[in-house]
Amino acid sequence: MRVYISDLSKYVGQTVELRGWVYNTRSSGKVKFLQVRDGTGFCQCIFFRGECDESSFTEFEKLTQESTVYVTGVVRAEPRSPGGYELGAKNLEIKHITENYPITPKEHGTDFLMSQRHLWLRSKNQHAIMRVRSEIISAIRSFFDGRGFTLMDAPIFTPNACEGTSTLFETQYFDDKAYLSQSGQLYAEACAAAHGKVYCFGPTFRAEKSKTRRHLIEFWMVEPEVAFNDMYDNMDLAEQFVEYIVQRVLTNRADELKVLERDVEKLKPIKTPFPRLHYKEAAEIIKKENPEFIIGDDFGAPDETIISSKFDKPVFVHHYPSAIKAFYMKRDPKEPESAMGCDLLATEGYGEVIGGGQREDNLDLLLERLKEHGLKQEFFEWYLDLRRYGAFQSAGFGLGLERTVAWICGLPHIRETIPFPRMYGRMYP
Amino acid sequence: MRVYISDLSKYVGQTVELRGWVYNTRSSGKVKFLQVRDGTGFCQCIFFRGECDESSFTEFEKLTQESTVYVTGVVRAEPRSPGGYELGAKNLEIKHITENYPITPKEHGTDFLMSQRHLWLRSKNQHAIMRVRSEIISAIRSFFDGRGFTLMDAPIFTPNACEGTSTLFETQYFDDKAYLSQSGQLYAEACAAAHGKVYCFGPTFRAEKSKTRRHLIEFWMVEPEVAFNDMYDNMDLAEQFVEYIVQRVLTNRADELKVLERDVEKLKPIKTPFPRLHYKEAAEIIKKENPEFIIGDDFGAPDETIISSKFDKPVFVHHYPSAIKAFYMKRDPKEPESAMGCDLLATEGYGEVIGGGQREDNLDLLLERLKEHGLKQEFFEWYLDLRRYGAFQSAGFGLGLERTVAWICGLPHIRETIPFPRMYGRMYP
């Protein structure tokens, strides 16, 4: 009976077949140890001379790292073993002998490992990161599905650019030009008028010629949009959402965080409410430590770190100067130079993980903003229709998946947070 | 207190505020009826002269279809009302008056409605379809997450083409060319070696210059891949998966299926096991009704319909001629002219919803296939590594989301199954 290592607890005393790859081997006379990984876990298989097939005992010596094996044996509880179970092996079937596996226990440079990404994913740390990523995605979807949101994915091919065209990927769409989406937000607003509470969650693209530890060319973003919410409702939703994600990973992926040596004490305090700073308050804090910062400017990564270092929770900054924000952001009627945008800065200097805010719902003001931003009205007619027919207050945000994975896993660089990263200068494998 | 219509049952006897849009109005002397939709449901709000503000009673007359309103009133149980509840209105606040809403209760042509897609999504049928779509996506993810699969999304930008280049979208990726993914499968195989059971689920792209009722340029595909599975395991997994999706929609989206007038009796029998036909058996069935069909050819849409008309469950067809299948499909050692591929044809003539099979795990045979298909080895070196280092038997499949939505909703055309369809000749809105 073929079973997965993660299910061994159900088969104690039974004879089962494990299928996997050689992680490690050790021999000492009449007993040989084989550590097998099958993707769901690791299991020590013990070959005692006389208790297993004689041929298996001999064949064992051919095994190399990452060779493919099917092992049959009896499941035993073994408290000293990492998974709690081991296999009293009866038979070894070698399906493939691996020669010269490129990734060895010695240190490799990152560039080499990135070029071997298809194999590097099998390594323990990378395995743990992908498990956390998968858990975060599942948490994101559970959060919204459980609160009556309808998932409505935005298109990737768009005729228009949401925030300028300089960082857009372009493709020939039959007789037209299409651009690859940088955000599903405008579409999510149309969907919010149909379903009230919606979200989209897909890949987005930025053609940025920069190699930083926070940027990918291709990254996933989840974007909820709620009709009739204002900026403050939006912060309420965002902080509940982030608490939910972090606490679920702490509960369900404790083993993986341990593999990654993540200091979970830094994650435990991440519970609502989160501090909320007006842009001007945030700017004052930065100015004290970075005198070169000009009030009115957007924050650089070091500025964000200054702010986040003051708190053990993520921090909202709201009311950014309208001049540095996108055309669709509503200005606060009480302070017209400020946009009702609210970004969330992660703890420990991980920077902005959420950007969002309230949308401009007045047709005339939106037309003005389009002009100011040099955007062609004709591309946005459908979006303007949302202000012509049943105009509504609306707010939402976007959370960058990979930045969130880097933050929760405690990784210094975003490149390990996605199975096959696309960066400036890298598209292989 | 602001509440959603879907939550009204919790607030009987309480004063609440609904925020939404005018669906319908009706007046008869001293009582006026306002049907509000808020995206989560519909609610009848009843304005009695003397029981509501006099100004609200007067303002009511200004209301038009899709005007934005906030209505305050007391929640009452009302068994005759569609949702089971109604609002005894006290106050009406008009937030926006809509003039000349383009979509009226009269019949519109599909082309017009598609150009108004951002508004058409508010209509009852479109609303129901999107709810079913969201449910199907949630079911897909629950199925795999609940069975220990790790979600590992494949990249959209790829340096190589999986099945020929004629239908690929190309973009400039800095100094290189990138192609938009048509399938995540090759990447999923690499991930299966790391996590055993994986799936990817994202948008895929085909630049097909065809206008059919089954094709989109941009569509979502879920692709599980399981290390050590063979073609038969793969069919077991696929049939459990399809049963799960269909039965969950029947349970959770019965109201929406009713709106769509879907004959659910046709969906109820969709339970495992599904019939399985060898290609030759399927070809014989087709030949009887379509004498022009040539054995050895791929099935056309009418051929698929001939087969599906014979069963009240979806049907697997396996062992297609190798010549008409992709390079990565394993040939059956027992009948080398046949590929160990298995496709699933939906009921009622909805055609292929799943394509999949067992992968060629032998390096030399795979190299031969690449040559036969005229594909450049250099682009596939990383994929070939999976046969060099720990080669393993593997199988998986892809399920097209939009075809599945069309099938379960009983729609004649795929264009209504995705929020913003991208088709040959259409990219707006």
Side-chain angles (χ1 to χ4, degrees), chain B residues 80-94:
Chain B
R80 283 168 304 176
S81 138
Y85 301 90
E86 62 176 28
L87 204 72
K90 300 287 179 201
N91 182 265
L92 168 69
E93 193 181 341
I94 300 176

Side-chain angles (χ1 to χ4, degrees), chain A residues 2 19 21 37 66 68 96 98 118 156-157 170-171 173 193 218 228-229 382 385 390-391 422-423 428, chain B residues 2 19 21 37 68 96 98 118 156-157 170-171 173 193 218 228-229 382 385 390-391 422-423 428:
Chain A
R2 170 187 167 201
R19 299 180 177 186
W21 296 269
R37 66 163 193 89
E66 286 300 313
T68 315
H96 183 243
T98 292
H118 53 296
I156 304 296
F157 286 135
E170 185 186 288
T171 187
Y173 187 90
E218 184 183 320
F228 307 116
N229 264 7
W382 70 266
D385 275 356
R422 296 298 181 242
M423 297 181 295
Y428 183 94
Chain B
R2 170 189 166 199
R19 299 180 177 186
W21 295 269
R37 66 162 193 91
T68 315
H96 183 242
T98 293
H118 53 296
I156 304 297
F157 286 135
E170 184 185 288
T171 188
Y173 187 89
E218 185 184 321
F228 307 116
N229 265 7
W382 70 266
D385 275 356
R422 296 298 181 241
M423 297 179 295
Y428 182 94

Side-chain angles (χ1 to χ4, degrees), chain B residues 9 16 19 32 59 64 114 123 131 189 196 205 218 232 363 376 398-399:
Chain B
S9 64
V16 303
R19 299 180 177 186
K32 297 178 197 283
E59 288 283 293
T64 58
M114 291 300 287
S123 301
R131 283 286 165 113
E189 288 185 45
F205 306 86
E218 185 184 321
Y232 301 96
L363 181 63
K376 276 193 192 163
L399 172 129

Side-chain angles (χ1 to χ4, degrees), chain B residues 45-63:
Chain B
C45 306
I46 301 162
F47 292 79
F48 262 108
R49 167 157 263 163
E51 287 186 14
C52 65
D53 298 340
E54 188 57 28
S55 65
S56 297
F57 204 75
T58 320
E59 288 283 293
F60 191 101
E61 294 307 315
K62 296 184 186 163
L63 294 178

